[in-house]
Structure formats: structure tokens, C-alpha cells
Amino acid sequence: MTSLDSSPEAVHGDSGTAAKQIPPAAVARLTIYLRALTTMLAEGVERVSSESLAEASGVSSSTLRKDLSHVGSYGTRGVGYEVQYLSRNISAALGLTRDWKVAIVGAGNLGKALARYGGFESRGFDVVAIFDADQMVVGNEVGWLRVSDVADLEPVLQRTGANMVVLALPAAVAQGVCDRVIAAGVRSILSFAPVMLQVPPGVNLRKVDMATELQILAYHAQRIQAPEDAE
């Protein structure tokens, strides 16, 4: 299984060939830097020091500089980074200069919330379709989208040009739908299903398990609240 959580990131150039490998942890931090830079651009900031950007991102200056070296941005001593240029560099490294069309499978509460989220478009993601198997839901409008029947998954994916799929599905049906998505040619999948999905090499699968994240949070919270219990 190829997973973005466990393997190095391949950063692709416009030709589609792998340009260099960026460690997964650095990729995650690059998204945080990009968010901070986007805020600075909105505020009219033209240049930023590594110290200021690191503070805004919650990392050390040395970590920031090492991460940015992966995308060929080193800044200028005493001058810092040009915000717009650095934002473009990070966006290119993350593949955000391409058109990403997202389809959501599952029009329950989570799927509908994701479809209505306004932050995707501003970050380079266009939600183009949403599916469900419930005939009471098929045909309903979610935001500007109309819910398609999951039975029509393959032709709708092809018609819309979707190249990313989000699975907001129960565990029992997730693997079967995942297999169909892959067979339809989609190679990037984000799964909220509470099950480990199996995908072939060449498919990037990222799993979001909110229950697991809450369990990890609970572990750290109880250590803070009762440190003597950890001894």
C-alpha cells in the first residue's frame, strides 16, 4: 500500500517526472507555512523574516529553513523571504498549481459538510461531484452540487475529470467503493472510513481517523492533568 503517512513525498515538475523527495513531516509543515503566507499576502505583507514566519507557523527557525530548502527557497540574509514568491514556490512543490478536481462519495452529514466547505476552492481544490447510494438522497442539492447515484460513479468521475476522491463512507462498503474509484483511474484518495483500506502500488491513500486522533489527544491531556499518574 502506498500511503502519504508512511512514504516520502514525490514532488513532481510540470513534466510529471519526480523532481525530488520531501520527507512527509516537512510536507505537512509546508502546508502550514503556505497558510501563514496566504494570510500575510491578504494583509499586504511583501517580505517576511524566517523568524517571523517560523513564529507564525509554530516551528523553530532552523526547522523552517531546512524545510524551505527542499523547495529551493533559501531567503536572503537581512532581507528574508519575498512572500508572494515563496508562496508560489511552496504551492508548486505541493502540486497546487495543477487543477485538482475532487469527488466526494457519501452524502451523509460529513460528506455534505465537506461539499459545502468554502476553503477548498481558495486552496486549489474544486469539488465537482458528490455521490450516495440512498435513493432518498440522490438528486438532492448540496451546495451547488446535485447528489449523483453511486451506481453511476465511473461515468460521472470521467465526465467531471475528478482526479481526487474523498470517501465519507461506512466501513462495510468503503473497500468496494475504493476499488471502483481506483479502477476508474483515480490515484489520490482521502478516506474517512473507519477501516484500513488496501490499495495497489501507485495509489496515494491518506486516512483520517478522528477517533484515533481524539484518543491520542486524550492520552496527552491526562498526562498534563495528572502527571503523577504517569510516573
Side-chain angles (χ1 to χ4, degrees):
M1 178 178 74
T2 300
S3 169
L4 297 185
D5 290 320
S6 59
S7 60
E9 298 290 337
V11 178
H12 297 278
D14 293 337
S15 65
T17 57
K20 66 186 299 186
Q21 300 287 334
I22 299 180
V27 172
R29 289 190 294 269
L30 286 174
T31 67
I32 298 173
Y33 307 151
L34 183 59
R35 182 173 59 196
L37 291 166
T38 300
T39 299
M40 291 176 186
L41 283 172
E43 295 173 348
V45 177
E46 295 182 356
R47 290 189 176 275
V48 62
S49 67
S50 59
E51 290 78 10
S52 295
L53 182 54
E55 182 178 358
S57 304
V59 301
S60 68
S61 297
S62 59
T63 296
L64 173 86
R65 287 191 291 268
K66 182 177 180 180
D67 290 341
L68 294 184
S69 71
H70 290 300
V71 300
S73 294
Y74 299 95
T76 303
R77 183 177 296 275
V79 177
Y81 298 92
E82 183 183 342
V83 173
Q84 189 170 40
Y85 177 78
L86 182 56
S87 177
R88 285 200 304 266
N89 267 18
I90 294 176
S91 294
L94 294 175
L96 301 181
T97 54
R98 298 179 57 186
D99 291 329
W100 295 110
K101 297 183 178 181
V102 181
I104 299 170
V105 186
N109 291 334
L110 176 58
K112 287 189 287 189
L114 292 170
R116 292 175 176 143
Y117 176 55
F120 288 137
E121 186 174 0
S122 64
R123 298 183 184 183
F125 301 96
D126 183 16
V127 180
V128 295
I130 183 169
F131 300 88
D132 205 273
D134 187 345
Q135 296 304 305
M136 298 295 291
V137 175
V138 171
N140 292 347
E141 291 186 357
V142 178
W144 63 275
L145 294 171
R146 190 176 298 276
V147 179
S148 299
D149 193 330
V150 75
D152 300 323
L153 179 71
E154 292 84 356
V156 174
L157 290 178
Q158 183 174 15
R159 175 173 56 81
T160 59
N163 48 18
M164 282 188 176
V165 167
V166 176
L167 301 179
L169 296 168
V173 299
Q175 185 66 61
V177 174
C178 181
D179 293 344
R180 290 176 61 192
V181 165
I182 295 169
V186 177
R187 293 294 179 265
S188 298
I189 301 170
L190 176 65
S191 175
F192 286 89
V195 63
M196 290 299 298
L197 299 176
Q198 300 300 313
V199 299
V203 174
N204 291 318
L205 171 68
R206 191 165 183 89
K207 185 178 186 300
V208 180
D209 189 333
M210 287 183 282
T212 297
E213 295 301 324
L214 287 172
Q215 288 170 341
I216 294 171
L217 189 61
Y219 166 76
H220 290 292
Q222 62 92 19
R223 287 179 62 87
I224 294 172
Q225 294 167 4
E228 66 277 4
D229 293 340
E231 297 178 357

